[in-house]
Amino acid sequence: ETGVTQTPRHLVMGMTNKKSLKCEQHLGHNAMYWYKQSAKKPLELMFVYNFKEQTENNSVPSRFSPECPNSSHLFLHLHTLQPEDSALYLCASSQDVQRGGSPLHFGNGTRLTVT
Amino acid sequence: GNSVTQMEGPVTLSEEAFLTINCTYTATGYPSLFWYVQYPGEGLQLLLKATKADDKGSNKGFEATYRKETTSFHLEKGSVQVSDSAVYFCALRPSNQGGKLIFGQGTELSVKP
């Protein structure tokens, strides 16, 4: 496999459930990102990790908890979500955060529905 | 602050028509500029990029030129195809805010046969 792989592709969960989104990149990159894409809104950056260290938390509610065990894997742990958290969650990676011209490579996303 | 503004969609064109999607930005310093494309049910794919003023990015017949004097990075294609139907995102990466990619709101393009 190459590129950025996200699982699951679709997830339906109740507000009291706990679930996790997984992202894996096979590009040898050192930076990984979580973005939220809601209908009719610009993409929102949630978290940035560089060499496994979190470098940005964009005021994300604590019901979203990221984990980056190594440079190839990124998780987003979800608990007690709200219906307005329903969205497409996109993972991305790049060479590292310091190279401004280095593009982000995106996965296909996890479509999350909170009921 | 840093921001990206794109023309509103949806944009509907006939096959072989000329495409322009406007993008302007506000940024301090010297950002890198990108166009991403999102096909239905998929994530974003990098279409092209430019890292300094007057650079022209190009890919698959699409072009965009980094214009610092007008703070613009308009996307153009001379002859669109039905397969170009997608949502197009303009984005900038500030030179001094490691990692953050700031997106415009996206422009939906629909090409009719």
Side-chain angles (χ1 to χ4, degrees):
Chain A
E1 273 192 70
T2 58
V4 180
T5 304
Q6 289 187 243
T7 54
R9 290 296 308 272
H10 302 272
L11 178 63
V12 179
M13 59 185 289
M15 289 189 285
T16 58
N17 291 160
K18 290 184 180 181
K19 297 286 184 182
S20 296
L21 309 185
K22 179 182 176 182
C23 176
E24 184 174 1
Q25 59 94 2
H26 303 272
L27 299 169
H29 289 163
N30 297 302
M32 297 188 78
Y33 311 76
W34 279 116
Y35 278 85
K36 176 183 179 183
Q37 185 177 29
S38 304
K40 308 297 184 186
K41 293 175 67 175
L43 274 79
E44 302 171 55
L45 177 66
M46 301 175 72
F47 302 103
V48 180
Y49 279 82
N50 197 40
F51 293 93
K52 302 189 300 179
E53 299 297 320
Q54 187 179 120
T55 58
E56 183 140 0
N57 176 336
N58 202 25
S59 302
V60 180
S62 60
R63 58 186 183 270
F64 295 90
S65 175
E67 179 190 0
C68 189
N70 55 61
S71 292
S72 299
H73 293 86
L74 184 65
F75 296 89
L76 187 62
H77 304 299
L78 316 171
H79 64 98
T80 59
L81 294 191
Q82 305 299 312
E84 59 265 28
D85 296 323
S86 299
L88 182 68
Y89 288 85
L90 292 165
C91 174
S93 70
S94 70
Q95 190 64 43
D96 65 63
V97 298
Q98 297 306 320
R99 301 189 192 189
S102 173
L104 271 62
H105 295 257
F106 285 83
N108 284 334
T110 295
R111 173 69 62 187
L112 174 67
T113 303
V114 181
T115 60
Chain B
N2 299 300
S3 66
V4 177
T5 302
Q6 290 180 234
M7 65 186 286
E8 293 214 13
V11 173
T12 302
L13 295 173
S14 298
E15 208 164 21
E16 300 183 3
F18 184 86
L19 168 71
T20 300
I21 300 179
N22 290 337
C23 171
T24 57
Y25 67 90
T26 302
T28 54
Y30 302 93
S32 295
L33 301 174
F34 304 85
W35 276 100
Y36 282 81
V37 57
Q38 186 176 32
Y39 298 102
E42 298 185 11
L44 278 70
Q45 301 175 27
L46 177 67
L47 183 59
L48 53 85
K49 71 172 187 177
T51 57
K52 61 182 187 297
D54 300 325
D55 267 3
K56 177 186 281 188
S58 61
N59 185 28
K60 300 181 182 179
F62 291 89
E63 293 184 338
T65 300
Y66 189 144
R67 302 282 189 202
K68 192 163 179 64
E69 64 276 13
T70 54
T71 61
S72 65
F73 193 55
H74 304 321
L75 182 68
E76 296 182 336
K77 187 175 185 182
S79 176
V80 293
Q81 305 301 312
V82 173
S83 57
D84 293 327
S85 298
V87 181
Y88 291 82
F89 293 89
C90 184
L92 72 83
R93 197 165 185 190
S95 56
N96 59 352
Q97 295 183 29
K100 182 179 287 189
L101 195 62
I102 298 167
F103 287 90
Q105 73 271 31
T107 302
E108 182 180 357
L109 171 66
S110 178
V111 181
K112 306 297 184 185

